[in-house]
Amino acid sequence: MWSIEIPNVDDCLNEIDIALTYVDGSKKYVLDAIEKESISKIYTLYDSLKGRPHIGLAGGDISDETKKAFLEGYKEIQQNGRLAYLRSKLLLSASRCPNCGIGPANQLDHYLPKNKYNLLSIYSHNLIPSCDICNKKKSTHVALNSQEGYVHNYYDIFPTDVRFFIANTYINDDSLKVVFDIVKIADFDDDYYKILKFQIDKLDLNNRLSKEINLFLCSFSIAIEDVYNSGGKNYVAYFLERNCESFAKKLGLNDWRTALLYSLSKNNDFCDGGFIEILNTDGL
């Protein structure tokens, strides 16, 4: 899980006009000045709340016809329509899904669901790059309390110099068991810590990462064996530490690959030959 750069929304009102205008320039739907001002205030409120649910974001004073027009306008992002450029711009901000770090960010997730918050359907700050699996698993979830939400990848700033996403590794019957978890650090209050734990569970990250671990470690199998034959467990630990440092520079201290390599470098059983059966079987 990591933060991504928040998109510029200086042109957000113009994007509304584009979504509500046909290619030939005729209006698909016309907003009056009062509605436009109300929608601008909703966007401002969204930013001040950092995307957290609020009744004011539903636009109680906006007509149902306008809300429907906004909802339909999102199709111009999903399809190769008038706002296709907006979709491309947002997806380019993250090559990998910022929630799982597994799949490509090829979907746009509505942080607050568009079916409930119609007027946020095409607001860039409510559109988070995501992989299709995370998008489906999150679906239309809205936090019912302060501990059952999702992090907002634009607003929530994760520390980059402290480990909080960790891997616990165990060897049992020549198979490797890995459990990823969140540790509470000084930057996290109780609610935020519980949100991160909740998200790991709801996105089923441990089960999803189990297959990725197998593929990832197999790419190291020959190198680890050569290092072990050259100098034993201490050389393996050093090799894993160096690779951990490399991944931390490229992907961050709290990427799952970095966390995994760090844990394995401290796992005496793995470094002292335990890797041999693990990397030569399908037991991961």
Side-chain angles (χ1 to χ4, degrees):
M1 289 172 281
W2 65 84
S3 308
I4 50 180
E5 184 177 357
I6 191 167
N8 186 299
V9 291
D10 290 346
D11 208 30
C12 62
L13 295 181
N14 183 51
E15 287 164 355
I16 293 174
D17 289 336
I18 294 172
L20 303 181
T21 303
Y22 289 110
V23 176
D24 63 6
S26 60
K27 292 295 183 180
K28 181 178 181 181
Y29 189 84
V30 179
L31 290 176
D32 61 40
I34 295 176
E35 283 185 314
K36 233 177 190 180
E37 178 63 23
S38 294
I39 292 164
S40 179
K41 290 179 179 178
I42 287 173
Y43 288 176
T44 300
L45 177 62
Y46 181 94
D47 291 339
S48 68
L49 294 169
K50 297 185 176 181
R52 303 310 180 198
H54 188 279
I55 190 171
L57 298 174
D61 59 338
I62 304 294
S63 70
D64 289 341
E65 290 78 13
T66 296
K67 292 177 182 178
K68 181 180 179 181
F70 270 68
L71 195 56
E72 292 178 347
Y74 179 68
K75 296 176 183 177
E76 303 301 331
I77 295 178
Q78 282 289 80
Q79 302 166 0
N80 291 323
R82 296 183 295 280
L83 285 178
Y85 79 92
L86 178 60
R87 173 183 171 85
S88 297
K89 178 184 74 172
L90 294 174
L91 291 180
L92 283 173
S93 66
S95 59
R96 290 268 167 186
C97 176
N99 291 311
C100 66
I102 303 172
N106 55 9
Q107 303 282 328
L108 290 176
D109 169 59
H110 287 83
Y111 184 79
L112 293 183
K114 63 183 182 296
N115 290 335
K116 182 173 182 179
Y117 299 94
N118 304 158
L119 300 172
L120 298 173
S121 297
I122 57 175
Y123 186 47
S124 295
H125 287 181
N126 194 50
L127 298 170
I128 312 293
S130 174
C131 69
D132 54 352
I133 296 178
C134 283
N135 195 10
K136 288 176 183 177
K137 285 187 175 296
K138 179 177 176 291
S139 188
T140 58
H141 174 82
V142 176
L144 298 177
N145 58 58
S146 61
Q147 300 171 2
E148 293 187 0
Y150 284 77
V151 297
H152 199 304
N153 304 93
Y154 291 144
Y155 295 111
D156 294 331
I157 306 301
F158 299 108
T160 59
D161 57 349
V162 182
R163 297 183 189 277
F164 63 85
F165 187 65
I166 64 167
N168 297 299
T169 55
Y170 315 91
I171 295 178
N172 185 30
D173 295 330
D174 295 328
S175 66
L176 179 66
K177 174 70 173 177
V178 182
V179 178
F180 291 94
D181 200 2
I182 299 292
V183 294
K184 194 171 186 296
I185 60 175
D187 299 69
F188 300 160
D189 61 24
D190 288 341
D191 282 350
Y192 195 65
Y193 168 68
K194 289 175 181 176
I195 284 174
L196 290 170
K197 299 272 284 186
F198 173 84
Q199 184 164 325
I200 286 180
D201 179 56
K202 288 301 179 181
L203 294 181
D204 197 25
L205 282 187
N206 274 300
N207 285 331
R208 292 169 59 198
L209 284 171
S210 62
K211 294 180 180 178
E212 301 299 319
I213 291 169
N214 189 20
L215 295 172
F216 178 66
L217 288 181
C218 282
S219 67
F220 289 91
S221 58
I222 294 176
I224 292 178
E225 187 171 358
D226 287 346
V227 168
Y228 183 70
N229 290 335
S230 297
K233 66 178 183 180
N234 291 334
Y235 275 40
V236 173
Y238 181 69
F239 172 82
L240 293 171
E241 287 173 2
R242 290 297 304 274
N243 277 277
C244 174
E245 292 170 1
S246 176
F247 275 91
K249 289 178 181 178
K250 295 175 183 176
L251 302 173
L253 200 61
N254 293 293
D255 182 81
W256 68 266
R257 285 153 285 229
T258 307
L260 175 64
L261 290 173
Y262 180 80
S263 179
L264 290 177
S265 73
K266 309 298 181 185
N267 189 315
N268 186 68
D269 292 338
F270 183 86
C271 294
D272 197 15
F275 66 87
I276 295 173
E277 290 299 323
I278 291 169
L279 299 185
N280 286 313
T281 69
D282 295 324
L284 286 173

